[in-house]
Amino acid sequence: MSLTVYGTELNSRLLLGTSLYPSPKIMLDAIAASQCEVVTVSLRRESSTEKSGNAFWSLIRSANVRVLPNTAGCHSVKEAVTTAHMARELFDTPWVKLEVIGEDDTLQPDVFGLVEATRILIEDGFEVFPYTTDDLVVADRLLSAGCEVLMPWGAPIGSGRGLNNRYALTSMRAHFPDVPLIVDAGLGLPSHAADAMELGYDAILLNTAVAKAGDPVAMARAFAMGIEAGHLAHQSQPMPKRDMAAPSTPVFGTPFRD
């Protein structure tokens, strides 16, 4: 059940965010309960002061997981590229979850800036995980720029709406069958994650649905189970849908009824 991204093999298909938790302990307990191997960290959010930033980095290191720095809060190519370089220096990793926000109400990616920033960062040796829309043309541009993974949104960040456009996500899966696809943002329930995995997606990245749950630790475990169930369901080739009923009990040989 492993997933390989940029040459790194991951046994868990859940990537978990690290913001909004009620306490550091609950965050660490949720990470442990999810059994995830990758957590995302916002350099801009957590580095507001040197003292609190250092404490947070120490906390993340204690979780023994791989860090995927992100450029959350960046609204321009220059901001995103600068933040990515700072993150690489701090975490000593070429990985970056690239966000270039274009619209404040929906936090929809600025896909033009995203493609431009992707080209710059990949030329600089980064391994980019782009937070993008479900647009096929944009996806193709990102792959042409050098991305080896795509992260389309399910719905606006923090909305908990699930998969807003299943048709577009299904089309993306069909168009790029060999590219690792990770649904990023907008999921609110484990059933949403299972739905995405049943469509053939490779992993899920989320934060708010776990961090803002009444019991984040239990919700983290629930999402892990939902992702595993959805992936196994897709792998097992589900039965096709039918317009009419089909009896599960054979009728051949049964007595005739008046």
Side-chain angles (χ1 to χ4, degrees), residues 3 24 30 36 59 66 92 100-101 134 176 188 191 199 229 240:
L3 167 66
C36 72
L59 196 67
R66 189 179 184 111
D92 192 27
V100 183
I101 300 302
D134 47 30
F176 306 108
S191 57
L199 293 181

Side-chain angles (χ1 to χ4, degrees), residues 152-166:
W153 65 349
I157 293 172
S159 67
R161 296 178 58 86
L163 306 183
N164 265 359
N165 194 337
R166 297 181 82 257

Side-chain angles (χ1 to χ4, degrees), residues 107-131:
L107 299 180
Q108 179 170 325
D110 171 1
V111 295
F112 306 102
L114 178 66
V115 172
E116 182 182 350
T118 295
R119 289 199 182 101
I120 293 170
L121 290 174
I122 286 180
E123 288 177 1
D124 286 342
F126 283 85
E127 295 173 344
V128 176
F129 293 67
Y131 166 59

